Amino acid sequence: MKSLTEVGSFLEFLAQPILISNNASEIVFANTACLHLFGYSKAQMLQCHIEDLTTPIKHLNHAKLTEKYICSHAPAKEMTERNLIPCVDAQGNKFASRISIASAHIGEELYGVAILQDFTSVQNRISELETQSNIDILTGLFNRRYLHEILKADSRVHTTWLATGVLYLDLNKFKPINDNLGHRMGDQILKIVANRLRETVRFDDIAFREGGDEFLILLNLTDVSNRQKVLEKICSKINKIIAEPIVTQGHSVNISASIGAGIYTDQQDDLAVFIHATDQAMYVAKKHGTSVSFVK
């Protein structure tokens, strides 16, 4: 029968954090991955008990549960997936860990062997990837994927905004810039326009790049008294900042925008349909050479 030292030598090379405790909840082994997870040296870890690595849960005693599990003689092949366990590292940082545990005879003793996964880091990485997937790579504004999320019934726009200003923008004569100055120049102009839009809207508003040289802005007008007047003012401000000369890559470019705008309220049926209406109003503005056309 393998000794604890022999088993530890094998487990040391595994990338997954693994620790072994006795039925008194004393840590008798932790591989390097586990030491790294909790931030302890090997000597420090071997002075720890299970309760030193976990945060208290009401009506739940980790030490007694560990003792009960080990003494139940559950065979290793029946390793079971446990609920998330709140853990704490050497610096006092809390994180959730998913733990699989089994009892196993090592030498002449019965121990508990636990395999851990830092679930908080996994969730943070998932959230990070979700955020990245919602962002337009070129401009840093939100993209169509995030717009689809916003259009869902449980989004904050539907649940907390009682009135939403909708602005659909298209840059005028942008194609000749790409044709004459190149797509790199065009991309740079899109970035600058996006930055100007980002600096103009408030933190609670949402700016999207719809694609190409089209942009969409959703404004939270819930607490605004004269909504139409405020919407007109914002449209004027946006047209003004976009019309400011863009100096980049040795060129000075003048550009303008056509805007379709309107106010969507919680009394209306479908935000997606209303956004389409502002898109059509934008084409009306472009056709007639006006800066803004409002949805009627």
Side-chain angles (χ1 to χ4, degrees):
M1 185 175 290
K2 298 291 185 180
S3 68
L4 182 60
T5 300
E6 292 173 310
V7 171
S9 296
F10 168 74
L11 297 178
E12 181 60 44
F13 295 100
L14 299 182
Q16 198 81 343
I18 298 174
L19 64 79
I20 300 175
S21 68
N22 59 25
N23 61 7
S25 291
E26 297 169 331
I27 307 300
V28 297
F29 170 82
N31 67 354
T32 298
C34 189
L35 297 177
H36 178 74
L37 176 62
F38 285 96
Y40 286 106
S41 67
K42 184 176 182 179
Q44 291 171 327
M45 181 64 86
L46 295 180
Q47 297 295 316
C48 290
H49 290 68
I50 291 294
E51 52 266 37
D52 296 321
L53 308 180
T54 57
T55 56
I57 300 179
K58 190 176 182 180
H59 307 309
L60 184 62
N61 187 312
H62 293 299
K64 287 190 175 297
L65 285 175
T66 300
E67 179 184 4
K68 181 179 179 180
Y69 189 84
I70 292 174
C71 294
S72 69
H73 298 275
K77 65 180 180 180
E78 293 185 1
M79 183 176 290
T80 57
E81 188 77 6
R82 308 292 295 272
N83 292 328
L84 292 180
I85 300 296
C87 296
V88 59
D89 66 17
Q91 289 72 44
N93 301 311
K94 297 179 181 180
F95 63 95
S97 179
R98 189 178 293 280
I99 298 178
S100 296
I101 187 171
S103 60
H105 274 102
I106 303 175
E108 300 298 324
E109 301 293 331
L110 192 62
Y111 295 97
V113 181
I115 301 176
L116 301 91
Q117 181 185 41
D118 182 358
F119 196 72
T120 297
S121 294
V122 172
Q123 288 297 96
N124 288 342
R125 181 56 180 160
I126 291 174
S127 297
E128 180 182 341
L129 291 173
E130 287 179 345
T131 298
Q132 291 175 355
S133 68
N134 289 330
I135 298 297
D136 176 62
I137 297 176
L138 177 65
T139 64
L141 300 180
F142 288 112
N143 58 20
R144 283 184 177 178
R145 184 183 184 280
Y146 188 62
L147 177 59
H148 292 320
E149 295 298 314
I150 290 296
L151 292 176
K152 293 180 179 178
D154 60 350
S155 75
R156 60 189 170 107
V157 171
H158 282 102
T159 58
T160 64
W161 294 17
L162 301 182
T164 303
V166 181
L167 307 182
Y168 205 105
L169 293 77
D170 180 81
L171 302 182
N172 296 321
K173 299 180 179 178
F174 181 74
K175 187 176 183 299
I177 295 175
N178 275 333
D179 293 341
N180 299 326
L181 300 178
H183 287 277
R184 290 184 62 183
M185 182 66 172
D187 287 349
Q188 187 62 25
I189 289 173
L190 290 175
K191 291 179 183 179
I192 292 172
V193 169
N195 287 335
R196 291 180 178 181
L197 293 177
R198 189 183 294 108
E199 293 170 358
T200 302
V201 300
R202 300 164 304 172
F203 75 94
D204 197 30
D205 301 326
I206 313 172
F208 305 83
R209 182 190 178 199
E210 266 284 84
D213 59 335
E214 294 184 349
F215 300 87
L216 172 69
I217 300 175
L218 301 182
L219 308 166
N220 186 356
L221 302 180
T222 300
D223 298 323
V224 176
S225 55
N226 193 333
R227 293 167 180 166
Q228 184 63 34
K229 184 176 180 179
V230 169
L231 186 65
E232 292 173 2
K233 184 177 180 180
I234 293 173
C235 288
S236 177
K237 184 177 182 180
I238 288 176
N239 269 316
K240 183 177 179 180
I241 65 160
I242 291 179
E244 293 176 0
I246 296 175
V247 180
T248 182
Q249 298 183 11
H251 297 277
S252 179
V253 178
N254 292 303
I255 201 165
S256 63
S258 296
I259 303 176
I263 299 174
Y264 174 84
T265 69
D266 60 347
Q267 305 299 315
Q268 294 165 278
D269 293 331
D270 195 325
L271 178 57
V273 171
F274 192 84
I275 290 174
H276 178 70
T278 60
D279 182 15
Q280 295 305 303
M282 178 270 292
Y283 281 107
V284 171
K286 188 178 288 288
K287 178 180 178 181
H288 294 287
T290 58
S291 58
V292 185
S293 176
F294 292 95
V295 175
K296 298 179 180 179

